[in-house]
Amino acid sequence: MKTDLKTIPGVGPNIEQHLIQLGYTSVSSLKGENPEEIFQKDCILQGCSLDRCLLYVYRLAVYYAENTIYDPEKLKWWHWKD
């Protein structure tokens, strides 16, 4: 399946596959989503063996989906750490 999810900084083939398995097939499908809920659903799907860094990537992904002008600092996944 061809998606535009890899245009999101920090999203490579593995994370793209996680998002597709969760029903997100485009950047726009992430608009309005709660990154913590995406992470929780992914954790359940993958058997709760996920690295917390994935949560930070999901936070960035939702930010990327909801904005057209980006703060360069916010395009770094580690900006979204707790």
Side-chain angles (χ1 to χ4, degrees):
M1 168 181 277
K2 182 129 172 92
T3 74
D4 63 350
L5 294 168
K6 286 193 274 185
T7 62
I8 301 168
V11 173
N14 291 339
I15 297 173
E16 179 188 35
Q17 286 305 311
H18 285 226
L19 288 168
I20 291 169
Q21 289 174 345
L22 293 168
Y24 302 102
T25 57
S26 68
V27 171
S28 62
S29 67
L30 291 163
K31 287 182 182 176
E33 293 296 318
N34 180 328
E36 282 74 13
E37 287 180 12
I38 296 171
F39 179 74
Q40 288 173 352
K41 289 177 191 174
D42 198 13
C43 189
I44 291 167
L45 186 67
Q46 305 301 329
C48 291
S49 60
L50 298 178
D51 187 319
R52 191 158 169 81
C53 291
L54 200 52
L55 171 59
Y56 312 142
V57 174
Y58 291 155
R59 288 175 178 167
L60 166 59
V62 171
Y63 167 79
Y64 187 87
E66 293 179 341
N67 294 277
T68 55
I69 299 173
Y70 310 107
D71 176 340
E73 184 61 28
K74 290 184 178 179
L75 292 180
K76 300 172 183 163
W77 66 266
W78 58 83
H79 169 81
W80 299 95
K81 291 175 79 170
D82 299 312

